Amino acid sequence: MLSKVAGKARPILISVLTLLLVIGPLVSRHPAVAQSGRQPDKKKVEKKTDVQKGAETENPQEPVPQESKDEPHLKLSTQVVNVEVSVIDKKTHRLVTNLGKNNFTIYEDGVKQEVTNMAPGEGPATVVLLLDNGFQNHYWQGYFNPTQAQEIFQSAAGFVQTFVKKSDYVSIVTFSMKPKVIQDFTNDRERLYNALMSAYRDLLNFSESNIFDALSFVLLGGKAIQLYEENAGLGEYLGLQEIEGHTAVILVTTGVDTFSRITFDRALKIVSQAGVPIFTIGVGNLVFKKYGDNWPATARLTMLQAQNELNAFAQRTGGAYFPMTFEGEIPSIMKSIEALLRTQYSLGYVPSNTRREGKERKIKLEVDLDGDGKPDNDKLELHYRDRYVEPGGPPPKKS
């Protein structure tokens, strides 16, 4: 009798155990939590001594989120004026390396300043590739003339190929009417290449080139959309002027601003105050040289003005301007930019003048190569920003 009952109960018991195994993992052992965060596993609480508590108070350790492990460790700068300088020997045309802090003297409005920090150019760099992707750049201009979009994105690809190392971080931002963040900071070349390809195929843009607004965005920060994610809303991004260390903007465009909200003077003030070198590459010169004589006077004047504005952004920030005529110039231009960035000395000082009225201040830099106390500027070619705009309003409160 018992064997018959056991025989009938065995299938039922197997079914119950199978059901428990299936639904067991689906039943949460903890209270429900929001999808925006994860609830950590509960750990056994151990009683700590006063020495352990004191050590935790002095050196608190915050957990690092899993998502941020691959992101660059960027530091926010304090109230320090940063001056990026490249030193070139006039006789040999070679970059001068292995200089120390004592080789440099900085003057602000004629007053000597104390150099508080210095970083050699061999360190990692944080760079934003700022690319003009207005729809008009994709217009066909003849069998033997590359489109301006081809020139822009081939230049960007050349920079990624020659420059990016494991310690660097590069971001890709395009613009037409508004800026688009195609790729946030990364040192992965494959991701950067894929982002460039996606941006090149992105034709959902206006026939505008708001260069001044785009420069303001990458330097000061603000809100922007991501490629193909306009419906996801705007994202908040940090400006390069808040980043400490070697930073730069590589701007590739025709230079013709069409519809920016801010003026050229306002943009020039922003780049002067940011302290970030801007390297500008002007495209569209081949078409201008071939057909510019047949253009209306206003069109020729617009192109010449655009070239002057790109040169002004570079000169004011200590960068360099490269007018590109042929695609074959891309490798040499990118090697020149890499050489300037890799050998730039990053100097910093706290101004002795505490005035905050938004006025312009002039910077003079002297370099003493042999340590005899006399500047050797007559033997050198120096690339640095020779002025900046002081902040306006009251100083920021200390947190």
Side-chain angles (χ1 to χ4, degrees):
M1 183 68 179
L2 292 175
S3 61
K4 292 183 179 181
V5 174
K8 295 180 179 179
R10 187 177 293 110
I12 298 176
L13 181 60
I14 294 174
S15 301
V16 172
L17 290 175
T18 304
L19 184 62
L20 288 175
L21 290 174
V22 173
I23 68 173
L26 303 179
V27 179
S28 176
R29 297 181 180 180
H30 303 287
V33 294
Q35 294 180 354
S36 59
R38 297 178 180 176
Q39 183 176 355
D41 296 334
K42 293 183 179 180
K43 297 182 179 180
K44 183 179 179 181
V45 179
E46 298 181 358
K47 190 174 182 179
K48 300 177 181 178
T49 64
D50 294 338
V51 177
Q52 291 173 326
K53 293 179 180 178
E56 287 186 354
T57 304
E58 294 178 359
N59 302 306
Q61 296 182 353
E62 297 181 359
V64 180
Q66 183 70 23
E67 293 79 0
S68 64
K69 289 184 178 180
D70 297 332
E71 295 179 0
H73 299 283
L74 305 177
K75 298 180 180 179
L76 298 182
S77 61
T78 56
Q79 298 299 312
V80 176
V81 177
N82 294 314
V83 181
E84 308 280 345
V85 55
S86 298
V87 184
I88 303 175
D89 191 309
K90 287 183 178 179
K91 187 176 181 179
T92 63
H93 302 286
R94 293 183 178 181
L95 292 159
V96 180
T97 58
N98 300 323
L99 297 178
K101 185 168 67 173
N102 296 331
N103 296 109
F104 295 94
T105 304
I106 297 179
Y107 295 89
E108 182 183 278
D109 289 339
V111 180
K112 186 177 179 180
Q113 306 293 318
E114 180 183 359
V115 180
T116 57
N117 59 280
M118 173 185 170
E122 290 80 6
T126 304
V127 180
V128 173
L129 276 173
L130 186 58
L131 310 178
D132 188 343
N133 200 24
F135 187 77
Q136 76 282 358
N137 293 332
H138 294 266
Y139 292 163
W140 184 70
Q141 303 185 55
Y143 288 106
F144 303 103
N145 300 321
T147 64
Q148 293 170 1
Q150 289 175 330
E151 294 179 328
I152 290 171
F153 284 94
Q154 286 180 10
S155 300
F159 177 80
V160 171
Q161 181 180 5
T162 60
F163 181 83
V164 181
K165 297 181 179 180
K166 291 183 178 180
S167 57
D168 300 320
Y169 286 96
V170 177
S171 174
I172 299 175
V173 178
T174 64
F175 64 91
S176 57
M177 181 74 78
K178 294 182 180 180
K180 285 184 180 180
V181 178
I182 307 300
Q183 175 61 58
D184 211 343
F185 288 109
T186 182
N187 54 9
D188 189 336
R189 287 188 180 183
E190 184 176 356
R191 292 177 63 182
L192 291 169
Y193 276 126
N194 292 335
L196 287 174
M197 292 299 297
S198 298
Y200 180 72
R201 294 192 296 263
D202 176 28
L203 301 179
L204 300 177
N205 296 300
F206 292 91
S207 291
E208 305 289 350
S209 294
N210 294 352
I211 303 173
F212 307 153
D213 290 346
L215 277 173
S216 176
F217 167 73
V218 298
L219 294 175
L220 303 183
K223 295 182 178 181
I225 56 179
Q226 293 187 359
L227 183 61
Y228 304 136
E229 294 186 3
E230 289 88 344
N231 295 330
L234 299 177
E236 192 74 29
Y237 292 90
L238 188 69
L240 264 186
Q241 74 164 3
E242 302 294 336
I243 307 302
E244 193 177 58
H246 290 287
T247 57
V249 175
I250 313 296
L251 173 62
V252 191
T253 177
T254 61
V256 179
D257 185 279
T258 59
F259 206 65
S260 283
R261 293 178 297 176
I262 64 175
T263 62
F264 169 72
D265 292 337
R266 174 59 181 163
L268 197 62
K269 187 175 182 179
I270 290 174
V271 301
S272 300
Q273 189 173 356
V276 178
I278 299 176
F279 296 86
T280 55
I281 301 175
V283 302
N285 293 304
L286 178 60
V287 175
F288 180 59
K289 289 180 179 180
K290 291 176 67 175
Y291 309 113
D293 292 339
N294 299 324
W295 291 2
T298 53
R300 294 198 303 270
L301 182 61
T302 298
M303 194 64 182
L304 293 173
Q305 181 180 355
Q307 295 173 349
N308 289 333
E309 290 173 350
L310 292 180
N311 187 43
F313 287 140
Q315 294 297 325
R316 186 63 66 92
T317 60
Y321 168 54
F322 300 91
M324 185 180 70
T325 302
F326 301 102
E327 294 176 273
E329 299 177 75
I330 294 177
S332 61
I333 290 175
M334 292 307 164
K335 287 182 179 179
S336 298
I337 293 178
E338 180 185 13
L340 290 172
L341 276 176
R342 294 298 184 197
T343 58
Q344 271 188 335
Y345 298 95
S346 180
L347 307 175
Y349 70 94
V350 179
S352 57
N353 186 354
T354 58
R355 182 186 65 196
R356 301 176 64 89
E357 299 178 1
K359 296 182 179 180
E360 185 178 88
R361 302 186 188 186
K362 293 185 178 180
I363 299 175
K364 181 182 178 181
L365 185 65
E366 293 182 351
V367 180
D368 180 11
L369 294 177
D370 49 16
D372 61 355
K374 298 179 181 179
D376 298 311
N377 288 29
D378 56 337
K379 304 176 184 178
L380 303 171
E381 180 182 342
L382 304 179
H383 290 270
Y384 68 97
R385 58 169 178 160
D386 60 355
R387 67 194 69 190
Y388 77 100
V389 179
E390 68 186 29
K397 297 181 181 180
K398 295 182 180 181
S399 56

